[in-house]
């Protein structure tokens, strides 16, 4: 470690409370070590990788970031078997101090079940807050390795990658006239529940003792303790990365068996696209997929304790179409169509109807507030593909559900009265479901927005790709803040960074619109008085402000008005 890194982490030992943590320094220390881990992994220097991982997991900065992650994500209010949550600054600071490997023993998981799309129930294992923080700590050291060694066309549970990237790669390999016409739709049976513990302990580059303890922790259901002999718990922070590592290497196996550079194998057109445990493999004939590709996949999975699901694994011609990640992919009339699948549309409409049934007596404005994020989220998910016709049909179905909801509330009123009460003519379009200044969005209002696929070799822990990822984030946030001019302007002026921790403000981190001069002190809502902060940084600023340890000087370089102080 160089002198700057040493000084940064020594400074962390001077922190005495949660709100004293200097997040800029914490992120710098961790990012520097992660970059070195990724570089060593790329060079194959595994001894150096393990040494750097030990250094990172012992760092106070990394411990603080691990605790911050588990206390800011969506599951922060969900306790484990010890029924504890860290919801106060004192509890968070105590967690940072206590986090470590000495005599660490994880508690069993709390088993719950959530419904699946096919009617079955998916088991989830909820670790305690301390176990989650330990997983987050070791994930900081493991993720650079996973990103560096992962398959190029694996898109699930990876930083900066999404389902939109996966479907664009599907279009790349199937979208041309000369593209392969046969597809192996692969689905692994109980992937998370059946991964071999021995394989993980042998092959995952992290502390073997800690990993073995997590895998063997067991779970508690109906007051009884059950041992775990295989699999990683769905619900653990590190579990998706462990599953990805177990499945990485399939692309290399296919490339060794069917080298893309050789003329003979180039004609076989074998390509892999994977998202978590769902994947497709293309081929130029059914026989190739049945006799050569499928046995190779089964052999690869068998070493990891996994098998293909006979029910869900199929070999399909592209003219028949197949479903992948909520889209239906089909080659029709010399064109590859990627549209929302019927199953996905049905689930979406059923959710809308279910929300309306639960709110028979709710006010119209409450219904609009509940339905808006569901409609917006579904539209944004599908708008990168060919969804305009599906959107129009769904709009009609949603209108019918809203009309039934309104008529049920006023059985003694005429249809004209109901129409005037709940539906307005706005922006040249009639029958808009609106109340006061709240308007329910329509799917037809979301025009197609093309998605630019991530470069296959891009690694967020490689400094050479920093500019590339910054550009992609700017484009993504520009779309996220579309129609919100004030937030969009501030984000661009701040170059996408929070002025307190100097980390990027993204849709995942969230943001808070902070008034530099408080409203109570007659501060205005003008742009010169506003700044975007992370929610946690906003809270930290106000705590330090009350104690007299911070003023508004951190905003003195506010780009909209450099004179503000």
């Amino acid at each position: 470690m160089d002198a700057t890194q040493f000084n940064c982490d020594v400074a962390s030992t001077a922190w005495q409370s949660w709100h004293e943590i200097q997040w800029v320094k914490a992120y710098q220390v961790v990012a520097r070590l992660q970059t070195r881990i990724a570089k060593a992994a790329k060079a194959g220097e595994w001894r150096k990788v393990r040494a750097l991982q030990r250094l990172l997991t012992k760092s106070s900065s990394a411990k603080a970031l691990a605790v911050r992650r588990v206390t800011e994500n969506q599951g922060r209010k969900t306790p484990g078997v010890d029924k504890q949550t860290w919801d106060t600054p004192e509890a968070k600071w105590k967690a940072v101090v206590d986090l470590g490997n000495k005599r660490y023993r994880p508690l069993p998981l709390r088993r719950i079940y959530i419904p699946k799309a096919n009617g079955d129930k998916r088991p989830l294992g909820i670790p305690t807050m301390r176990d989650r923080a330990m997983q987050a700590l070791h994930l900081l050291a493991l993720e650079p390795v996973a990103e560096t060694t992962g398959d190029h066309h694996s898109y699930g549970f990876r930083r900066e990658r999404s389902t939109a990237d996966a479907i664009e790669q599907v279009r790349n390999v199937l979208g041309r006239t000369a593209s392969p016409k046969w597809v192996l739709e692969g689905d692994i049976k109980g992937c998370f529940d059946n991964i071999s513990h021995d394989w993980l302990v042998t092959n995952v580059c992290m502390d073997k003792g800690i990993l073995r303890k997590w895998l063997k922790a067991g779970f508690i259901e109906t007051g009884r303790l059950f041992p775990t002999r295989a699999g990683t718990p769905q619900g653990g922070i590190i579990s998706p990365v462990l599953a990805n590592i177990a499945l990485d290497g399939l692309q290399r196996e296919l490339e060794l068996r069917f080298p893309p550079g050789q003329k003979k194998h180039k004609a076989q057109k074998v390509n892999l696209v994977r998202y978590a445990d769902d994947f497709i493999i293309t081929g130029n004939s059914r026989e190739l997929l049945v006799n050569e590709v499928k046995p190779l996949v089964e052999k690869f999975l068998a070493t990891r304790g996994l098998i293909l699901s006979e029910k869900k694994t199929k070999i399909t011609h592209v003219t028949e179409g197949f479903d992948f990640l909520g889209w239906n992919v089909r080659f029709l009339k010399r064109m590859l169509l990627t549209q929302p699948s019927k199953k996905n549309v049905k689930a979406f409409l059923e959710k809308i109807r279910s929300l309306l049934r639960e709110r028979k007596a709710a006010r119209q404005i409450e219904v609009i507030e509940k339905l808006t994020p569901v409609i917006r989220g579904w539209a944004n998910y599908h708008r990168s593909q060919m969804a305009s016709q599906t959107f129009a049909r769904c709009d009609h179905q949603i209108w019918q559900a809203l009309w039934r909801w309104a008529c049920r509330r006023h059985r003694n009123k005429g249809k004209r009265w109901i129409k005037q009460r709940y539906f307005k003519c706005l922006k040249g379009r009639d029958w808009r479901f609106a109340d006061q200044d709240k308007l329910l969005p329509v799917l037809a209002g979301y025009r197609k927005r093309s998605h630019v696929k991530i470069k296959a070799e891009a690694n967020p822990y490689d400094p050479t790709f920093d500019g590339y990822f910054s550009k992609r984030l700017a484009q993504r946030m520009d779309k996220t803040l579309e129609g919100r001019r004030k937030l969009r302007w501030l984000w661009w002026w701040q170059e996408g960074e929070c002025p307190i921790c100097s980390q990027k403000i993204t849709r995942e981190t969230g943001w808070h619109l902070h008034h530099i001069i408080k409203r109570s002190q007659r501060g205005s809502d003008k742009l010169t008085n506003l700044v975007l902060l992370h929610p946690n940084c906003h809270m930290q600023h106000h705590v330090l402000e009350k104690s007299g340890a911070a003023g508004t000087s951190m905003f003195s370089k506010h780009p909209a008005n450099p004179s503000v102080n």
Side-chain angles (χ1 to χ4, degrees), residues 409-425:
R409 293 163 66 89
H410 304 284
R411 299 182 184 276
N412 298 325
K413 297 289 186 179
K415 292 181 179 179
R416 189 184 300 273
W417 184 93
I418 294 172
K419 194 265 182 187
Q420 292 175 346
R421 168 68 178 78
Y422 291 102
F423 298 90
K424 307 285 188 292
C425 181

Side-chain angles (χ1 to χ4, degrees), residues 452-464:
V452 179
K453 190 185 83 69
I454 190 172
K455 290 180 180 178
E457 68 279 7
N459 183 349
Y461 297 100
D462 187 341
T464 58

Side-chain angles (χ1 to χ4, degrees), residues 113-123 311-312 343 346-347:
Y113 292 89
I114 59 172
K116 293 172 68 174
N118 60 5
D120 295 338
K121 290 187 176 181
R122 185 190 305 277
K311 182 180 177 182
K312 296 181 180 178
K343 186 185 295 184
K346 184 179 178 182

Side-chain angles (χ1 to χ4, degrees), residues 497-557:
E497 291 185 355
C498 170
I500 292 181
C501 68
S502 297
Q503 295 303 299
K504 294 294 184 181
I505 295 173
T506 68
R507 184 172 54 189
E508 291 74 25
T509 64
W511 57 81
H512 186 94
L513 194 59
H514 172 74
H515 288 72
I516 299 172
I517 301 175
K518 297 179 183 178
R519 283 180 173 176
S520 59
Q521 299 172 355
R522 305 194 71 177
S524 71
D525 288 333
K526 292 182 179 179
L527 289 168
T528 52
N529 192 46
L530 297 174
V531 65
L532 286 178
L533 305 176
H534 288 130
N536 184 74
C537 294
H538 178 254
M539 188 186 306
Q540 181 187 40
H541 169 70
H542 281 298
V543 169
L544 294 178
E545 190 179 42
K546 287 178 183 177
S547 66
T552 56
S553 58
M554 67 179 69
F555 307 124
S556 58
K557 295 183 180 179

Side-chain angles (χ1 to χ4, degrees), residues 438-505:
K438 293 287 185 179
L439 173 67
L440 187 71
V442 290
L443 293 167
Y446 293 86
R447 296 182 179 179
K448 182 175 179 179
R449 189 163 64 195
S450 299
H451 177 81
V452 179
K453 190 185 83 69
I454 190 172
K455 290 180 180 178
E457 68 279 7
N459 183 349
Y461 297 100
D462 187 341
T464 58
F465 287 101
D466 284 350
Y468 172 75
F469 282 115
S470 294
K471 185 178 178 182
R472 282 182 65 85
L473 174 61
Q475 292 170 343
R476 191 163 66 246
M477 288 299 292
D478 205 34
K479 295 172 182 176
T480 300
L481 300 175
E482 187 178 8
R484 306 167 78 175
R485 293 176 62 186
K486 187 175 287 188
L487 293 179
R488 188 177 177 188
W489 190 90
L490 284 170
W491 194 92
W492 275 98
W493 268 108
Q494 294 176 209
E495 298 181 349
E497 291 185 355
C498 170
I500 292 181
C501 68
S502 297
Q503 295 303 299
K504 294 294 184 181
I505 295 173

Side-chain angles (χ1 to χ4, degrees), residues 328-344:
N328 180 262
V329 182
R330 186 182 179 195
F331 200 87
L332 183 66
K333 296 180 181 179
R334 303 178 69 182
M335 175 187 282
L336 188 73
L337 303 178
T338 49
Q339 301 171 314
S341 67
K342 290 181 179 178
K343 186 185 295 184
N344 191 274

Side-chain angles (χ1 to χ4, degrees), residues 73-91:
N73 62 16
Q74 292 183 344
R76 63 187 180 277
K77 295 181 181 178
T78 306
V81 292
D82 60 354
K83 299 182 181 179
Q84 291 184 7
T85 57
W86 298 334
D87 50 4
T88 64
E90 293 74 22

